[in-house]
Structures are given as C-alpha cells and as structure tokens.
Amino acid sequence: MKGLILKDIYSVKFQIFASILLFLFPNFLLFCFTIRYSEGTGEPGPEWFLTLIYAVISFSSIIIGSSFFINTVSEDVSCGWCKIAGTMPFTVRMICGSKILSSFFILALLTFLSLLMSLFGVFMGVGNAEILIAAPICTMFLQMTALSPVFPFALRFGSKTATPFYLCFLIVIAAILAAAAIASVKCGVWEALRTVFYGGIPAAAVLSVFLSLRLSKKMLIKE
C-alpha cells in the first residue's frame, strides 16, 4: 500500500507543486488585505463580509488544489501501469484505497495551510473566529465526500468520464449544505447548523470512503 501511495504522489508531483502555488497566491493577497485592514489603513468592512472572504478563499483553494488527483487514473492508463498492475498482487480495492489515502494527504496539507491563515485572521481580529477555523476543516471533509466515490468510477470508466461526475456530485452536496445553512440562519437555529457541519459532513466523508472501497471490489480497471 505504501508503494501505491508513493506512486500516486510522484506521478502528479508537478500538479502538487502547482496546487500549492495556486493556494499561496490568493492567500498572500488575503494576508496583505488583513494587514492593511488591521492597521486601519483600509476601509473597514462588516464582520460577515470579512468572514465570507476568508471562507470563500479557503473553500476554493482546498477544492481546486486537490481536485487534480483524479488525473492519477489517466496517468496510470497513459504509462501502461494498469496493464502491469494486473500481473501484481494488487486488488482494485487496494489501488482505490491508495488513491483515497494519497488525496487525503494532499487535502490535509492544504487544510493545514488554510487553517494557519485562518488562525492568523483570528489573531488579527478579522471576522468570526468559529467560522474562520471551521471553514477549512469542513471543506476538507466535504471534498473527501465528493472525491472518494470518483476513484472507483474513474478506474472503471476513465478520468474523462469521472470528472463531470465529480463536479456534479460536488455541486449537489455544496447546494444541499448551502440550503441547510441558509434555512438555519433564517430560523436562527444555530445548533442545528453546527450539527450539520461538525457532525454531518465528517460522517458523510467516512461513509463515502467506506462505500467507495466497497464499490471498488465490483469494479474492473479500464486499461
């Protein structure tokens, strides 16, 4: 399993480097904005607006920065590794599991960097502290929920087919969560909102990984 994880990471090492750069650019602008705002040299904005800026940048950076891992399937096909894997003692479940774990490592790295930025915002007194800290963590679990089922699907039908499936699945999940958040805010039921984001999303991520591994046992690798 360790060898499979290292193979997946090395095969997309350029994309990993590019995703980190893509992550750093908007966060550097956010860092400069925070410094300017905290010094009182910028126009003061409402707390909800500053919180929204942090949450949107955190969400987009983590989602975009980790989505490229779907391409590891096409890399396996293009280099002929899928044919070689058939002669090795690897099951489809092991291959799918290694891709899920590899993507989780990248997600954890991006979430850690985003969390550092959020903690900086909290330290500078910008935005709502709870949302700033919760946004990157919830985004990580949301991405795991959407990304995990894509790997067995991509192994069977290819990454070109799996990418639209992933985008549609992510949009549906995000829309459901957004609707739940809006309804909770309008009704003033904050505890229900916390239950959805702090309990529902992590539970959905665990369930998604479990079902993806179960599904992978019935899938055949596209060569």
Side-chain angles (χ1 to χ4, degrees), residues 172-195:
V172 169
I173 295 176
I176 293 174
L177 291 175
I182 294 173
S184 299
V185 170
K186 287 185 177 180
C187 298
V189 189
W190 294 103
E191 290 304 321
L193 187 61
R194 290 188 176 95
T195 301

Side-chain angles (χ1 to χ4, degrees), residues 16-191:
I16 293 175
F17 178 72
S19 69
I20 293 177
L21 292 180
L22 183 64
F23 174 89
L24 291 177
F25 177 70
N27 280 275
F28 174 75
L29 296 179
L30 184 60
F31 174 83
C32 295
F33 173 79
T34 302
I35 293 295
R36 180 179 175 85
Y37 173 78
S38 63
E39 290 178 348
T41 56
E43 290 294 330
E47 183 182 80
W48 69 266
F49 179 71
L50 299 173
T51 303
L52 180 63
I53 291 177
Y54 266 85
V56 168
I57 290 180
S58 177
F59 176 85
S60 58
S61 299
I62 293 175
I63 294 295
I64 296 174
S66 58
S67 298
F68 70 88
F69 231 86
I70 302 175
N71 296 332
T72 56
V73 177
S74 60
E75 291 286 341
D76 291 346
V77 174
S78 63
C79 69
W81 186 86
C82 287
K83 295 181 180 180
I84 299 175
T87 64
M88 297 181 179
F90 296 140
T91 64
V92 180
R93 184 175 182 178
M94 291 175 61
I95 296 173
C96 181
S98 70
K99 293 185 182 301
I100 292 176
L101 285 175
S102 301
S103 63
F104 178 76
F105 290 149
I106 303 303
L107 268 173
L109 174 62
L110 295 175
T111 302
F112 174 73
L113 295 175
S114 183
L115 194 57
L116 288 179
M117 191 65 206
S118 296
L119 291 174
F120 172 74
V122 172
F123 177 77
M124 300 300 290
V126 176
N128 183 284
E130 180 182 1
I131 297 178
L132 291 184
I133 295 174
I137 298 175
C138 291
T139 301
M140 177 186 70
F141 285 115
L142 173 64
Q143 178 70 329
M144 283 299 296
T145 303
L147 196 58
S148 296
V150 174
F151 290 118
F153 191 84
L155 287 170
R156 178 63 184 89
F157 301 104
S159 58
K160 291 183 179 180
T161 306
T163 300
F165 169 77
Y166 159 73
L167 293 175
C168 292
F169 192 40
L170 180 63
I171 291 173
V172 169
I173 295 176
I176 293 174
L177 291 175
I182 294 173
S184 299
V185 170
K186 287 185 177 180
C187 298
V189 189
W190 294 103
E191 290 304 321

